[in-house]
Amino acid sequence: MVVSEVGPGGVAREAATTWPEELRGARLHFVSGKGGTGKSTVASALALALAAGGKRVLLVEVEGRAGIAPTFELEALPPTESKIATAHGDGEVYALPMDVEATFLDYLKTNYGMGLAARALKSIGAIEFATTLAPGLKDILITGKIMECTQRRGKDGRYAYDAVVVDAPPTGRIGKFLDVTRAMKEIAKAGPIAGQADRVVRLLHSPDTAIHLVTLLESLPLQETAEAMRELHELDLRVGAVVVNRTLPQLLDEGELAAATDGTVDGPGVRAALADAGLPLSDGDLAGLLTETIQFARTVQGQDEAREDLDTIDAAGRLELPLLTGGVDLGGVYDLAQVLAEAGVK
Ligand SMILES: Nc1ncnc2c1ncn2[C@@H]1O[C@H](COP(=O)(O)OP(=O)(O)OP(=O)(O)O)[C@@H](O)[C@H]1O
Ligand SMILES: [Mg+2]
């Protein structure tokens, strides 16, 4: 896989790709974004980057989307909090796939001592009934469990996890998912769940929490990112970094880029240079290469234009991650974590 160098025009890019100081204090990170933009990949890389140097990070998956296991080349995530990866410098990444039913049973057991009764409820499908009746209940149970993981302390008084990263619902659902206050209106006003919800609201609105949005330099993901930003601002939730995923390397300088975009590539020059390097090309291969170069240049130009739209988006920070040719294998996730570390994630 190829991690691109910052090329010509890279100065502005570099300035735009640092992890802002104000995010260094965050311990709870949600990673949202339009479907398929790379939420699971970015959440995994972020967990590795935050764990570097001997820290413990919990990576949480919600809604049974099963995106984390393939990223770490695992068949499935173990059902309970378990170590799934080692980060640079002895860091540890644990994973927890959030199972609403198990969380609900656990909740009934701890708050109402309803172990046996809860199992009976489960057998008659009461959980499905309860969550259908109050859709917000499911989100409150999940965010409540995430809070518990974030605030849990060991016997030595230290946090069980230095940071918690959530592979969160997509942008279309993120506002609702995190709007615990609204969800509470649907359900009981009193009792342990109300007390828990108040604490969740406090955590989500504190500097401990940051919500990152993954996007691509394409119009639909950018539009969804802008909409999610507005929604989160209205809910008074802090948007952390906008993570621009799958960016292309700047392999051409400005003049070459402009010419190639117009369809002008120095064919004979390319052929001569490759022949010098011991790679003689047939006419057909040369034509194919030139077409690919033109297409590449047009995509790069499209990304550059889209990047300008991003300048109007007001997030705490912006990071760019390169397109890894051939997709993201386990080594690729570590490479992306390295890019994040170099941008200042810690
Ligand atoms: N920087 C990258 N370079 C190349 N491929 C990438 C990159 N980031 C993600 N991908 C690939 O894109 C695909 C979608 O990524 P991922 O599963 O992380 O997205 P997602 O937003 O979690 O999707 P979903 O909405 O389905 O949960 C995967 O095949 C992943 O390997
Ligand atoms: Mg996913």
Side-chain angles (χ1 to χ4, degrees):
M1 91 249 7
V2 179
V3 175
S4 63
E5 302 276 303
V6 176
V11 180
R13 181 89 65 88
E14 224 162 10
T17 59
T18 48
W19 191 247
E21 195 66 41
E22 61 175 287
L23 291 181
R24 302 221 171 121
R27 295 189 51 250
L28 172 56
H29 301 264
F30 290 91
V31 180
S32 181
K34 184 180 180 319
T37 50
K39 295 179 291 299
S40 303
T41 306
V42 172
S44 303
L46 181 59
L48 282 172
L50 289 167
K55 288 189 273 176
R56 276 165 67 107
V57 174
L58 180 68
L59 185 51
V60 177
E61 178 165 85
V62 300
E63 298 193 331
R65 298 175 76 86
I68 293 173
T71 310
F72 285 96
E73 296 180 1
L74 300 167
E75 286 281 308
L77 290 185
T80 51
E81 291 165 47
S82 333
K83 186 176 162 187
I84 59 159
T86 304
H88 287 300
D90 285 338
E92 296 179 311
V93 175
Y94 289 70
L96 174 64
M98 200 67 87
D99 173 343
V100 182
E101 192 154 283
T103 309
F104 190 42
L105 292 177
D106 196 42
Y107 175 81
L108 291 177
K109 202 164 122 207
T110 19
N111 290 289
Y112 298 100
M114 282 177 69
L116 190 66
R119 278 200 295 282
L121 277 176
K122 182 181 172 187
S123 68
I124 59 165
I127 291 164
E128 204 186 325
F129 175 71
T131 49
T132 313
L133 205 65
L137 177 61
K138 191 173 141 204
D139 292 343
I140 291 186
L141 289 169
I142 293 175
T143 48
K145 176 72 182 170
I146 290 170
M147 173 182 70
E148 187 272 315
C149 294
T150 310
Q151 297 182 338
R152 188 189 309 152
R153 288 179 191 268
K155 287 204 180 74
D156 57 3
R158 292 182 42 196
Y159 283 121
Y161 296 105
D162 296 290
V164 174
V165 178
V166 184
D167 182 5
T171 28
R173 278 237 329 121
I174 190 69
K176 239 180 172 189
F177 177 69
L178 296 173
D179 190 2
V180 175
T181 313
R182 175 203 53 81
M184 274 310 289
K185 295 199 179 112
E186 293 175 7
I187 57 176
K189 303 267 182 316
I193 202 159
Q196 169 183 291
D198 282 346
R199 286 187 292 127
V200 173
V201 170
R202 242 174 290 140
L203 171 63
L204 295 183
H205 293 263
S206 78
D208 279 348
T209 301
I211 305 150
H212 311 296
L213 298 174
V214 181
T215 193
L216 304 177
L217 293 172
E218 293 169 15
S219 59
L220 276 183
L222 286 174
Q223 214 174 308
E224 277 206 23
T225 306
E227 277 161 23
M229 299 272 311
R230 267 195 298 280
E231 189 185 10
L232 293 168
H233 276 305
E234 268 166 29
L235 292 171
D236 206 18
L237 289 164
R238 178 164 75 148
V239 177
V242 169
V243 181
V244 188
N245 195 17
R246 293 195 214 141
T247 57
L248 290 174
Q250 303 277 311
L251 300 173
L252 305 170
D253 68 30
E254 248 172 67
E256 286 167 338
L257 185 65
T261 310
D262 282 345
T264 319
V265 183
D266 175 14
V270 170
R271 172 177 261 165
L274 287 173
D276 280 352
L279 286 169
L281 286 186
S282 69
D283 285 350
D285 285 347
L286 179 67
L289 185 63
L290 297 184
T291 308
E292 263 182 48
T293 307
I294 292 165
Q295 274 165 358
F296 174 81
R298 288 183 179 156
T299 314
V300 168
Q301 200 192 35
Q303 288 206 344
D304 282 346
E305 282 163 15
R307 201 175 268 116
E308 282 170 26
D309 289 348
L310 258 185
D311 290 340
T312 60
I313 286 181
D314 169 35
R318 189 162 116 196
L319 291 179
E320 297 206 1
L321 290 176
L323 172 79
L324 300 187
T325 47
V328 185
D329 57 8
L330 185 57
V333 188
Y334 279 87
D335 287 344
L336 294 177
Q338 183 60 31
V339 176
L340 292 176
E342 281 164 16
V345 173
K346 59 182 175 188

